[in-house]
Amino acid sequence: MCGIVGITSTKNVSSSILNSLRKLEYRGYDSAGIATLENGIIKEVKCEGRVDALETNLAKQNLDGNVGIGHVRWATHGVPSTVNAHPHSSDRVSVVHNGIIENSTLLKKLLIKKGYIFKSQTDTEVIVHLISDYLKKNDLKNAIIKMLKRLHGSFALGIIFQDQPDLLIGARRGSPLAVGYGPNENYLGSDSYALKSMTNKVTYLDDSEFCIIKNDNVEFFDEAGKKINKKILELSKDDKEYEKGDYKHFMAKEIDEQPMTIKNCVNEYIDKISNSINIYNFPWKKNDLKSILLIGCGTAYHSCLMAKYWFEQMTNLDVNVDVASEFRYRKNKFKKDCLYIFVSQSGETADTYAALDLCNKNKVKTCSIVNVVESSIARDSKFVLPIHCGPEVGVASTKAFLGQMLVLYILCLKLAKDRKEIDKKILSSKIKSLLDLSKNVKKTLLTEDQIQLVCKSFADAKGSMFLGRGFSYPIALEGALKLKELVYVHAEGYPAGEMKHGPLALIENGMPVVVLAPRDEYFKKTISNMQEVIARGAKVLLITNKSKDEVVHENIWQSIKVENTIDDLLPFLITVPLQKLAYHSALNKGYDIDKPRNLAKSVTVE
Ligand code: AGP
């Protein structure tokens, strides 16, 4: 959450900082700001709202200087406003900050006693005054070391100084931070995406490290001040700039890209000639594993839940699923014969990372399924399976969800095969069906016109429900999450068979209800549950797959039929109309689809 960029150069830096902030807007977009050092004076331009508003302010008030920092904010302490926007500055230093300083209240009291005056409600301002205070009696490096010692919590910092015309400090504890290298200039960014337009050479700071960045040199230290050597990595070429093209929104583009991203992922993991699975370097043997624990947040958690059904069906492994923010604080019994699988699009989600870190500290087997291969979660997992989706910019995760499910499904087939828990012929037919998945998703995208007919009802309703059983239950949760985050209406995903234990009381005349009833083993049961809600006045949108036998019920409001495939893969297809439903309902309302209110793409605070 929040984005940091810093540049020290021989040229004016404010326009490059502004460009990088645009890339970082996916991390937070409620306020933004830049500070530079102009002729020995720290100057700031800030605003409430988006980077566009910052650009307007910059046009009114020029910001020169060869060293500077910028920030996009997702508010934690203090409302989104110009005064709470970062950078926060004193005469001596200016600071941008991601994360949370947990002991800021106490530090603030102590600093107020010393005579420091606070302008904002943020926790960040304590950092400004702490450094200023330590600089009175210490050199710059020691002031940083002493300041870091006083901070509790997880954070990433970018700092410039009034008396250092070509120097920038970066510090990391918990929140990610990267350094980039350019000709006669160097950079700081909260992720490599921010730096990509300027360089493909980066170094990632690890936990509890800081760096001193100059135009021609970067030095790294641990928090005690001991110098450390770090590797410079080259970012892959396929990570090129990602644009909207002819689409109005990234989300629309990302939904439509799914046939292609599925194809890429299948090509990566399936050998079409031998009809086998290409996961060769899996570090554990079949007898090493007795159970699996899948961990993620939000949409990634839903893909974990989906995988539980597949793993249970095809293997004898014990399978559990956990929300990362719960797992990290429970009294877990870490098991040596359990594989802990972390699923995350960004690979930077704070709760998922903390859960992984906990597992690493307890020396158990860790594997991650990520989209961003340079991410913290990927770097710190023992084994990584990328989903090969390309950048996902829309805050609402779409193609990454299908990518996560796909890699989990392929991993499940691999383990089932290695453990000899799946019949060879069945395995081979499942792999064949996988080869058709891209084509089937493409055809299912054609349901868009039908979705447009129903979206107004969902957008205008005070609430809706998404029901499914078995494989369709995690998809019901995902469909409801998409509608909530984009359309700001209450939507609840529920196991269809559980309705009569309480939520049925919510059903009233005209309430839109999505019933996910593909023709799998749960079909008949789900149709019975559908009849129960119709009987109580619900307007049912039935999502099923094509079949000769019609689902006959005179009171079904609308039905959408996806393509046919094996039962295991139907969840991929029934997801597509739900993504389109959320997209068109939000479009109907005129909401900001790629940047829904109160949210951010990468959740790097807990
Ligand atoms: C999905 O639409 C959400 N924006 C959100 O739930 C997201 O999936 C979650 O924050 C996890 O992110 P990650 O996959 O990057 O870890």
Side-chain angles (χ1 to χ4, degrees), residues 59-82:
K60 290 183 212 146
Q61 187 190 336
N62 248 352
L63 206 58
D64 289 332
N66 297 351
V67 61
I69 45 179
H71 191 263
V72 283
R73 179 168 185 251
W74 183 87
T76 55
H77 286 61
V79 295
S81 66
T82 305

Side-chain angles (χ1 to χ4, degrees), residues 465 467 494 498-508 529 532-534 536:
M465 301 215 59
L467 309 180
Y494 227 78
E498 215 12 55
M499 283 294 283
K500 53 193 165 297
H501 300 291
L504 204 55
L506 292 172
I507 305 290
E508 55 188 27
N529 299 136
E532 288 158 11
V533 293
I534 290 178
R536 282 149 185 94

Side-chain angles (χ1 to χ4, degrees), residues 46-63:
K46 309 204 279 192
C47 70
E48 186 183 335
R50 308 274 164 102
V51 175
D52 278 345
L54 184 66
E55 186 174 21
T56 311
N57 287 359
L58 274 170
K60 290 183 212 146
Q61 187 190 336
N62 248 352
L63 206 58

